[in-house]
Amino acid sequence: MALQSIADFEPNYKEEIFAGEDIKGFDVYAGDSDEKVGTVYDALVDETGKFRYLVVDTGIWIFGKKVLLPIGSARFDYGAHRVHATGLRSKAQAEQLPAYNEAEPLDYDGEEQVRGVYRNQGTVAASTPASTAAITAAPASYDRSNYSYDLDRPLYETNEQNHQNFKLYEERLIANKNRAKTGEVAVGKRVETQTAKASVPIEKERVVIERVTPVEAGRVVSVGDADFQSGEVARMEVYEETADIHKEAFVREEVNIRKEVVRSTVDGEETLRREELDIKTDGTPVVDDKNI
């Protein structure tokens, strides 16, 4: 049954357990007297979070000594920031308690020493409820293997009379938002084919030989005018166009990919509950309802 500091078990214990209050620093008084025996240094809880001990710094009462007070032997006065140690009524009793050292884990044997002092204290104060009276003997037939805090209920049991503190709760509408993946867009490329046709007009040159009868045809020419020569050649270059149809790649367009945030407002409506005090009185008692 490992014990740990309340702050180690619940770092936000002030808000979660005591509604903003901190019992550390509460003055501790012996029984119902006005004799101050120290202050609350810490509180120890078990692995389930149940309170088991208050660590009391006895200060100048027993200089430099911290002792354990079982939670069932404490009565809280939250308004006065006091704890009445109903099970710790004398300096002699406190001197019998083993000193608590937070640097050393509290084991079964150490707890037994503490329980032994409180069991042997005799009857407790008269103002203590009957359910916690007459702690005079240890439970029978137990050891470290089967011990349970239920065997010492008067030492560890809290009750309405000694622990009159409770929380009032209210519900609040909390609006949060969660980011979740809704899909994925993949932008890629694919190749599509099509058959294209192109027409190119071309030109070809051809040689046209025309034979015509001159006007002087049939006229007799003199022997000197007739120049008969062989090998006379007229030359003319002939050209034609051929079609050159081929394909080339060009940049058609550029694609830019980005994300845009589209904002909208989602409305929600819930019925909220709130606890309020319902104070009923019998007779004519004086009730001082303070909001501290």
Side-chain angles (χ1 to χ4, degrees):
M1 292 177 283
L3 298 174
Q4 57 183 313
S5 169
I6 186 174
D8 294 334
F9 182 84
E10 174 52 72
N12 194 28
Y13 71 92
K14 297 178 186 179
E15 298 295 335
E16 295 296 329
I17 300 177
F18 295 109
E21 191 71 81
D22 191 356
I23 62 171
K24 293 182 182 181
F26 274 27
D27 293 329
V28 180
Y29 290 82
D32 288 319
S33 70
D34 289 328
E35 182 183 8
K36 182 178 177 179
V37 301
T39 58
V40 176
Y41 177 78
D42 202 353
L44 303 182
V45 299
D46 61 19
E47 63 272 12
T48 66
K50 290 185 178 180
F51 283 92
R52 295 307 181 188
Y53 298 98
L54 293 180
V55 180
V56 179
D57 186 348
T58 59
I60 60 174
W61 203 49
I62 305 177
F63 185 75
K65 185 177 182 181
K66 298 183 180 69
V67 298
L68 296 180
L69 175 68
I71 194 66
S73 297
R75 178 169 58 82
F76 290 87
D77 185 345
Y78 291 93
H81 290 79
R82 286 187 175 190
V83 174
H84 292 277
T86 57
L88 184 62
R89 301 193 307 277
S90 68
K91 185 175 182 179
Q93 179 187 354
E95 289 175 339
Q96 295 176 17
L97 289 168
Y100 171 73
N101 185 356
E102 58 188 313
E104 299 177 358
L106 184 63
D107 57 11
Y108 170 80
D109 293 330
E111 287 193 80
E112 271 297 285
Q113 294 181 42
V114 173
R115 286 190 284 264
V117 174
Y118 287 100
R119 290 181 187 131
N120 297 326
Q121 66 179 305
T123 56
V124 295
S127 60
T128 304
S131 61
T132 59
I135 308 173
T136 57
S141 303
Y142 75 94
D143 55 28
R144 68 174 60 247
S145 65
N146 59 10
Y147 178 79
S148 169
Y149 288 115
D150 290 338
L151 296 174
D152 281 303
R153 287 190 176 183
L155 292 180
Y156 300 108
E157 188 173 54
T158 57
N159 56 75
E160 185 176 339
Q161 180 67 26
N162 286 354
H163 303 86
Q164 296 185 16
N165 185 32
F166 59 93
K167 300 178 184 178
L168 296 177
Y169 293 91
E170 69 176 7
E171 294 178 328
R172 297 178 181 177
L173 193 60
I174 306 299
N176 292 322
K177 56 184 180 181
N178 299 318
R179 184 180 177 87
K181 181 179 179 180
T182 58
E184 183 176 302
V185 176
V187 179
K189 298 193 300 183
R190 71 178 186 275
V191 177
E192 294 183 349
T193 61
Q194 63 179 4
T195 301
K197 294 181 179 181
S199 298
V200 179
I202 60 174
E203 294 180 351
K204 292 183 179 181
E205 295 179 342
R206 64 178 181 171
V207 177
V208 178
I209 301 174
E210 294 181 347
R211 297 182 180 186
V212 297
T213 302
V215 175
E216 63 271 21
R219 182 176 60 87
V220 178
V221 297
S222 63
V223 175
D225 293 333
D227 186 11
F228 290 92
Q229 296 180 7
S230 62
E232 185 177 357
V233 177
R235 296 182 180 276
M236 181 178 292
E237 293 180 349
V238 179
Y239 293 90
E240 71 175 19
E241 294 176 336
T242 59
D244 181 12
I245 299 176
H246 64 281
K247 57 184 180 181
E248 294 180 357
F250 298 88
V251 175
R252 180 168 61 90
E253 63 179 319
E254 186 176 282
V255 179
N256 295 319
I257 302 173
R258 70 179 188 277
K259 294 192 298 184
E260 292 183 348
V261 177
V262 180
R263 292 180 172 86
S264 62
T265 301
V266 178
D267 296 327
E269 182 177 315
E270 290 287 347
T271 300
L272 303 180
R273 297 174 296 175
R274 176 187 176 93
E275 293 181 339
E276 294 289 349
L277 285 179
D278 186 8
I279 302 175
K280 297 180 180 180
T281 61
D282 185 7
T284 58
V286 177
V287 178
D288 187 3
D289 184 8
K290 294 181 179 180
N291 186 9
I292 301 177

